Amino acid sequence: MMRVWIKFAKESPMRFLSHLDLMRVWQRAIRRAALPVAYSAGFNRHPKISFASALAVGVTSEGEYLDILFDKQLDGAAFERLAETLPHGLKMVDWRQIPEATPALMSLVCAAQWELPLQADESRHLQEAVQGLLSAVALPVQRERKNRLKTVDIRPLIYRLEADEKESCLRMLLASGGEGVVRPGEVLKLLRLPAVEGRVHRTELYVASGRCFQEPMAVLLN
Amino acid sequence: MVDYKVKFWDIILPRVQKPTRYLGNEVNAVVKDLSRCLVKVALAFPDLYEIGMSHLGLKILYSLINNTEQWAAERVFMPDTDLEAILRDEAFPLCSLETVTPLAAFDLLGFTLQYELSYATILQMLQLGGVSILAQSRGEEEPLVVGGGPGAFNPEPLAHFFDFFMLGDAEETLPQVLFFLEQNKQLSRAEKLLSLSQIDGVYVPSLYMPDFDMNGCFLGTRPLHANLPRQVQRAVVVDLDAAAYPEKFVVPYGSIVHDRLVLELFRGCTRGCRFCQAGIIYRPLRERTPAKLKELAKELVRTSGYDELALSSLSSGDYSAILQLVTELGIELAKEGVALSLPSLRLDSFSGQLAEQVKQVRKSGLTFAPEAGTQRLRDVINKNISEADMIGAATDAFAAGWTGIKLYFMIGLPTETDEDVEGITALVRKVMAAYKQAGCRGKPRVTVSVSVFVPKAHTPFQWAGLIPRDEVLRRHNVLRQSLRATGAQYKWHGVEPSLLEAALARGGRELCAVIASAAELGCKLDGWDEHFSFENWQQAFRDNGLDLAELAARQYGLDEPLPWDHLDSGVTKAYLTKEYELALAAKVSQDCRENCLGCGMSLLLEGKDDKDGKGVCHDARLD
Ligand code: SF4
C-alpha cells in the first residue's frame, strides 16, 4: 500500500471541467499510466481517490490536491508517467508519500488562498474598501440553503485580505473547511467588485498545523 | 489574422452550458500545426458532440488521416442552441474543435450521412461555418464538401449542397482523394472534381444529370461525359485486418452516448433481412481475426484509460469465433479491470453457452429484434428465426440470470394485417411465460419498442411506400390496446419523424430545395424531439409544391427508374427485385454464409460469376 498526495494545477481550458469530469480525467490518466489504485471493498467498489477541496467550474487553480491510495509501493518513474499522460491544461506540480493512517486531506484543509488580478485604477479605490471590511466587527452575508435563507457572519472567516497596488491584485486567505467556508464571490460582493468567474484564481490550500497554516506538501505528518 | 482560439476559449466558452464538449484538447485529440499540413480536413458530424463522438466511423477516419504526417483532420459537431445563438449574434464562424479554425479555411469538409433527419443540420453547419450552401456557388478558396456513410447511397436530396460523395468504405477511397488533393493544388475546383470522379467510389453529382420527359416524369440519371461510368461503384475494403483502425480513441471529458471503447468485429451481414439497408450496403461479410481483435483491444485500453470495451457489429453474435473471443478477451480484460460488454446483444444468435459467458463479463441489456409478430410476416421480411428458437433463447437468457428483455418491432411492414400486429402481443406473452419455464419467480421486465417501417434505397423494399399516417396511428392503437393486459412496457417513437425520414430517404434532387427551405425555417437537430418541427417541414415541402405525406407513401413500379439507380451498391437490381417478389409471396431466402444467393456482390469484388454455390462470396477469397 502507498498513500500519496498529489498537487496539481488546473489551467485555463481545463477550468471548465466539473468535479465529476475532473475525477473521470484523473481516473483514466491513472489507468493509462497503469498505476494500481486501491479499491474500496464491498458491493459497489470504487477507487480510493479523492480531491482535497471542490473548485467551482470556470475557476483556475495552481493549488489543487488529490489524495490516493495505491495497492503497491510505486517509484518516481510511475509518477512521471502519470504527469505525462495528463491532458493539456492539467499539470502535476508535486507529490509526496504520506503515512497510510493520515486522515483524509479533505478533512484537514482549513483555508484557501485566492488571487484576483485588478485593473490599474481598481486597486487604488479598493484600499479603502478593504480597510473597511477588515475593521468591521461583523460581516453578515445571506446564504441560501435548501430554499431557506440563513445569515452568516464571515468576518472571523476572512483570515487575510489585501489589495496589492504594486502587482495590481487582490489577495484573500479565506476559511475553507475547519471553521467554515467563505466563497471568494461573497467577499468580492462586499467589496463591490464584479464577480467574474474567470478572474479568480486559487493559489494554495492550507492545513492547520498547531496554530499556523501550512501547505500540504510541507506539513509535518506522523 | 483573428485569433479565433483566444476569443473562443476566453470569451465565448464561459457563456455556454457544457463548454467541455467544445474544448477539442481531449486526451488523444490530434492538434497539428495546420500551416505545415498539405491537406486539411474537417470531419463534420451533423449532430451534437455526445452523438457524434460515439460514432466509430468518425474515429476511424480521424486516425487514418492524422496518421499521415502531412495531412490533418479536425472534428466539428453541430453546436447546441446556446452556442449557436452566440455564434450567430457575434458573427463568429463555426470552427473545428482542435485548433479553432473556421470551416471555410479547410481544404476538404466531410459530412457523415448517418440519418435523413440530420440533413437540415448539415445546411446549418455550412452556413455557420461560412461555407456557401450551394456547391455551384462555392468559390475557388472554399473547401470541397464531401459526404459519406449510408446516406451516400441515395444522396440526390443533397446533390446541390455537396461537391462529391464517397460510396462504400472510406478507408479505401479517402486516402486516394487526399493524395490527389495534395498533389494537385493548382487545379481549379472543376478540374479537381473531374479527376476525382475517376476514383472508385467517388460520385460527383454535378457531372450527372437527371432526365425528365415532357410530363415531368423521371427517366433516370445519366453522366454528362463519355468517360464517366454509367453507374458509380461502391468502394470495398477486402481485408479488414489490414484496414485502418484507430489505435487511440479521443477520450471525452463529459459523458457521451457510448462512453466506452468499441471493437468492430466484422462488417457486413449475411442474414438478408429485406428491410435492412445496412445488410446490403456493407456486403460482403468481412471478419477481423480474433488475434487482430485482441491486439487492438489491448492497445485501445492502454492508450485510453477506459474501463469498458464493447464488441460491436451489425449482429455481433454472428461472429464465427464469438464464444472463443468473448471468453479469451473477457479473461484478458478482466486482469486489467476492464469490463467487456456486448451492447444490443441480439437473441437471434444467442446460445446458452454465450449467455453464461456474457453474464460473467457484464450483464448488458438484452435486446431482441423479432421485428414482426407472426411467422408469416417474419417470412415476408426474411427474419429467419422461428418462434421456438426465440422462446428457447429467451429461456436460456432468463435461466442465466437476466430479468429483463427489450423487444423491437416495426409496424407498417409490407403486407401487414391486424393479425400480425396482434401477433406481437401473443409473442410477448410467450416470452413472459418463458420466464416461468426458466424457473424464475415473478414477472420479467419486458419492454416493447415499436417503430414505423421506413423503406430505404437499395433494399428489396425500396419500391414500397410508407402506409398513411392515420393507418399507422390506427395500428399503433390496436397494438397498444392488445398489449395493455400483458404488463409489458410500451415504447413508441411517434409517426412524424418517420414520415419525414421516408419522404427524404427515397427522393430525388427535387428535395434539395425542400431541405434548403427547411433550414431557412430554422429546422435542425431533427433527431431530437425538442427541436423537431413537423409543421416547418410540411411547410418546406409545400413551399416547393410538394406534399410530404404523398412522397412518404410513394410506391415505385418495378420497372420505373429510381433516383439512385446510377449508384451501385454491389447488389444488383435483379436480385433486389427477386427478393421483393419472394417477400410478397412470403417465401424466405437462406443466410448466404453457406450458400451464395447471387446478389452480385462477388461480381464487384473480383468480376467472377457468383453462382457457384458457396457462401459469403466464396469463402476462400476472404482468407
Ligand atoms: S455474392 Fe453471394 S455470398 Fe456474397 S453477399 Fe451476395 S449472396 Fe452473399
Side-chain angles (χ1 to χ4, degrees):
Chain A
M1 291 290 191
M2 179 190 196
R3 175 109 176 262
V4 173
W5 285 351
I6 289 176
K7 179 177 185 181
F8 67 96
K10 192 182 178 193
E11 292 171 351
S12 169
M14 299 307 267
R15 69 191 165 108
F16 297 117
L17 263 63
S18 71
H19 197 67
L20 200 73
D21 292 341
L22 191 64
M23 183 52 94
R24 211 169 4 220
V25 165
W26 273 103
Q27 285 177 4
R28 286 175 181 162
I30 288 168
R31 297 181 60 86
R32 282 193 300 276
L35 308 186
V37 176
Y39 277 78
S40 65
F43 183 67
N44 226 336
R45 287 160 45 86
H46 57 265
K48 297 219 170 187
I49 308 178
S50 57
F51 290 115
S53 165
L55 187 67
V57 174
V59 179
T60 54
S61 170
E62 59 199 84
E64 294 303 291
Y65 292 86
L66 210 55
D67 187 337
I68 313 181
L69 184 66
F70 292 106
D71 268 337
K72 279 202 299 247
Q73 185 65 32
L74 300 167
D75 56 8
F79 292 96
E80 267 166 42
R81 275 208 310 279
L82 179 59
E84 272 164 26
T85 190
L86 290 175
H88 170 70
L90 211 55
K91 275 202 190 113
M92 205 164 124
V93 180
D94 203 357
W95 64 277
R96 73 181 283 200
Q97 180 165 11
I98 55 157
E100 225 185 289
T102 312
L105 182 51
M106 197 187 312
S107 68
L108 296 178
V109 168
C110 54
Q113 178 160 278
W114 303 87
E115 241 176 54
L116 179 90
L118 298 169
Q119 320 288 357
D121 54 330
E122 255 175 351
S123 51
R124 220 163 308 129
H125 296 139
L126 264 185
Q127 290 301 357
E128 227 171 282
V130 166
Q131 289 317 317
L133 285 202
L134 291 178
S135 52
V137 191
L139 291 170
V141 298
Q142 296 227 306
R143 285 185 188 163
E144 203 185 295
R145 219 183 184 184
K146 289 181 191 143
N147 286 326
R148 298 245 315 262
L149 280 181
K150 212 178 106 188
T151 307
V152 184
D153 176 15
I154 64 168
R155 176 60 193 91
L157 304 177
I158 299 178
Y159 301 142
R160 206 166 66 216
L161 184 65
E162 59 173 344
D164 184 332
E165 265 181 71
K166 250 205 333 258
E167 292 184 23
S168 311
C169 82
L170 180 74
R171 278 196 208 94
M172 309 179 260
L173 183 66
L174 308 174
S176 180
E179 301 183 292
V181 177
V182 180
R183 282 184 288 269
E186 291 173 325
V187 180
L188 297 188
K189 204 166 157 199
L190 292 174
L191 290 172
R192 296 180 198 288
L193 281 175
V196 193
E197 273 171 352
R199 281 172 79 190
V200 273
H201 176 69
R202 185 146 86 184
T203 51
E204 188 56 276
L205 293 177
Y206 291 98
V207 296
S209 168
R211 299 191 56 194
C212 21
F213 288 147
Q214 289 225 307
E215 296 176 17
M217 284 292 128
V219 68
L220 270 176
L221 299 163
N222 40 40
Chain B
M1 210 188 99
V2 197
D3 198 334
Y4 289 103
K5 190 165 192 162
V6 170
K7 178 159 187 210
F8 188 68
W9 277 15
D10 291 354
I11 300 177
I12 295 183
L13 280 191
R15 292 157 59 194
V16 307
Q17 283 285 334
K18 293 185 186 165
T20 55
R21 44 152 89 133
Y22 308 112
L23 281 179
N25 69 343
E26 307 96 315
V27 166
N28 296 331
V30 183
V31 186
K32 293 190 180 184
D33 176 356
L34 288 191
S35 64
R36 290 156 157 261
C37 292
L38 296 176
V39 189
K40 303 179 290 270
V41 186
L43 293 174
F45 196 103
D47 209 320
L48 300 181
Y49 177 89
E50 287 75 7
I51 304 285
M53 279 297 287
S54 304
H55 186 248
L56 179 62
L58 184 77
K59 299 179 208 281
I60 294 179
L61 299 183
Y62 185 74
S63 85
L64 178 141
I65 300 171
N66 281 322
N67 281 348
T68 299
E69 204 189 322
Q70 70 272 28
W71 300 342
E74 304 200 355
R75 293 160 297 151
V76 60
F77 302 95
M78 179 65 187
D80 209 340
T81 40
D82 59 342
L83 176 57
E84 186 194 348
I86 298 176
L87 296 182
R88 289 193 194 276
D89 279 358
E90 313 227 330
F92 190 94
L94 179 60
C95 290
S96 62
L97 296 184
E98 281 77 356
T99 58
V100 194
T101 302
L103 297 192
F106 284 85
D107 300 309
L108 189 67
L109 170 55
F111 282 93
T112 177
L113 312 173
Q114 292 298 314
Y115 27 85
E116 290 79 6
L117 294 183
S118 69
Y119 289 177
T121 310
I122 295 173
L123 269 54
Q124 303 290 1
M125 289 178 75
L126 287 172
Q127 197 200 38
L128 285 165
V131 178
S132 308
I133 289 189
L134 290 176
Q136 61 173 23
S137 36
R138 277 180 203 134
E140 288 297 334
E141 290 305 307
E142 292 192 63
L144 288 171
V145 179
V146 57
F153 285 90
N154 180 29
E156 296 304 286
L158 295 171
H160 294 167
F161 316 120
F162 281 79
D163 293 295
F164 66 104
F165 295 96
M166 295 190 307
L167 273 65
D169 300 320
E171 294 106 319
E172 199 63 27
T173 320
L174 194 58
Q176 298 178 55
V177 168
L178 297 185
F179 185 74
F180 172 83
L181 293 178
E182 180 189 317
Q183 302 292 316
N184 294 281
K185 296 223 163 234
Q186 75 296 347
L187 296 183
S188 70
R189 291 177 84 82
E191 288 165 330
K192 282 179 192 161
L193 289 172
L194 197 57
S195 300
L196 286 174
S197 70
Q198 300 302 312
I199 297 175
D200 265 355
V202 172
Y203 166 52
V204 179
S206 58
L207 298 177
Y208 287 75
M209 170 110 114
D211 284 325
F212 298 90
D213 70 9
M214 278 164 26
N215 302 320
C217 272
F218 178 64
L219 295 175
T221 311
R222 69 181 156 87
L224 291 174
H225 301 286
N227 58 348
L228 289 167
R230 285 202 24 241
Q231 262 200 320
V232 177
Q233 282 195 347
R234 172 193 146 209
V236 184
V237 163
V238 179
D239 180 1
L240 217 53
D241 262 1
Y245 199 83
E247 62 273 16
K248 292 174 179 174
F249 274 24
V250 173
V251 188
Y253 296 118
S255 50
I256 57 172
V257 177
H258 298 298
D259 205 4
R260 57 182 82 93
L261 297 169
V262 177
L263 211 49
E264 184 196 31
L265 305 184
F266 59 88
R267 212 169 282 179
C269 177
T270 53
R271 298 196 162 232
C273 299
R274 289 173 179 140
F275 55 85
C276 179
Q277 192 189 39
I280 300 285
I281 63 172
Y282 295 115
R283 284 183 187 213
L285 182 80
R286 291 150 291 163
E287 294 192 339
R288 286 196 168 86
T289 55
K292 177 74 187 180
L293 290 167
K294 280 192 274 180
E295 175 193 319
L296 285 172
K298 207 168 164 191
E299 187 63 9
L300 287 172
V301 167
R302 194 182 65 78
T303 56
S304 69
Y306 267 114
D307 60 2
E308 184 180 350
L309 181 140
L311 303 180
S312 143
S313 292
L314 286 174
S315 166
S316 297
D318 282 352
Y319 182 63
S320 44
I322 188 69
L323 255 180
Q324 179 204 345
L325 184 73
V326 169
T327 316
E328 293 178 8
L329 199 57
I331 294 170
E332 270 174 44
L333 292 177
K335 275 190 232 149
E336 317 215 17
V338 177
L340 180 64
S341 66
L342 279 152
S344 69
L345 183 68
R346 304 248 149 158
L347 267 181
D348 319 30
S349 48
F350 205 82
S351 68
Q353 243 182 324
L354 185 58
E356 274 305 319
Q357 275 307 331
V358 174
K359 192 186 145 202
Q360 278 169 29
V361 287
R362 173 168 286 195
K363 205 168 282 183
S364 47
L366 197 57
T367 66
F368 188 15
E371 310 289 8
T374 59
Q375 193 59 48
R376 185 200 68 82
L377 194 53
R378 282 195 296 277
D379 288 349
V380 168
I381 63 177
N382 207 43
K383 190 87 199 178
N384 281 337
I385 178 158
S386 71
E387 195 167 284
D389 288 347
M390 278 189 268
I391 301 302
T395 315
D396 278 352
F398 291 144
W402 269 275
T403 54
I405 191 168
K406 193 167 179 187
L407 301 169
Y408 287 95
F409 294 96
M410 284 190 275
I411 55 174
L413 286 162
T415 77
E416 182 183 65
T417 64
D418 282 8
E419 199 181 312
D420 299 305
V421 175
E422 281 159 355
I424 294 176
T425 307
L427 189 59
V428 167
R429 286 187 196 283
K430 285 178 189 156
V431 168
M432 289 187 152
Y435 198 64
K436 270 215 186 75
Q437 269 154 38
C440 308
R441 255 184 283 156
K443 264 191 166 187
R445 271 174 299 103
V446 178
T447 308
V448 176
S449 176
V450 175
S451 58
V452 182
F453 161 69
V454 175
K456 290 285 163 88
H458 296 281
T459 66
F461 288 161
Q462 62 181 356
W463 294 280
L466 194 77
I467 57 172
R469 175 190 177 135
D470 289 347
E471 179 58 17
V472 173
L473 292 174
R474 193 191 63 79
R475 290 186 200 179
H476 151 67
N477 275 327
V478 168
L479 177 56
R480 200 174 45 184
Q481 275 176 11
S482 82
L483 268 177
R484 194 164 287 158
T486 64
Q489 202 202 338
Y490 182 57
K491 276 210 177 128
W492 157 251
H493 297 290
V495 62
E496 287 163 350
S498 302
L499 276 170
L500 174 61
E501 194 185 328
L504 293 177
R506 295 181 308 137
R509 292 196 187 179
E510 69 283 357
L511 293 180
C512 293
V514 174
I515 296 172
S517 302
E520 264 167 45
L521 289 170
C523 291
K524 65 184 169 206
L525 297 172
D526 290 299
W528 299 82
D529 286 347
E530 64 265 45
H531 297 299
F532 179 66
S533 162
F534 193 57
E535 293 68 41
N536 281 345
W537 274 102
Q538 280 179 308
Q539 179 76 40
F541 277 83
R542 265 200 308 274
D543 288 351
N544 291 282
L546 296 168
D547 183 63
L548 194 161
E550 202 175 286
L551 290 180
R554 172 139 112 210
Q555 184 96 29
Y556 285 105
L558 281 177
D559 44 12
E560 218 181 304
L562 302 172
W564 52 92
D565 275 347
H566 58 302
L567 304 173
D568 181 7
S569 70
V571 173
T572 61
K573 202 171 178 181
Y575 173 79
L576 296 178
T577 310
K578 193 178 86 195
E579 281 292 303
Y580 187 41
E581 285 166 345
L582 287 172
L584 296 179
K587 291 213 172 93
V588 300
S589 292
Q590 294 308 310
D591 190 312
C592 73
R593 199 178 271 265
E594 304 297 332
N595 284 296
C596 175
L597 301 172
C599 77
M601 196 57 228
S602 68
L603 295 172
L604 189 140
L605 280 183
E606 267 186 29
K608 277 194 196 163
D609 176 32
D610 65 346
K611 283 189 182 158
D612 63 358
K614 285 182 286 163
V616 191
C617 306
H618 323 299
D619 283 313
R621 262 186 240 175
L622 297 168
D623 289 341

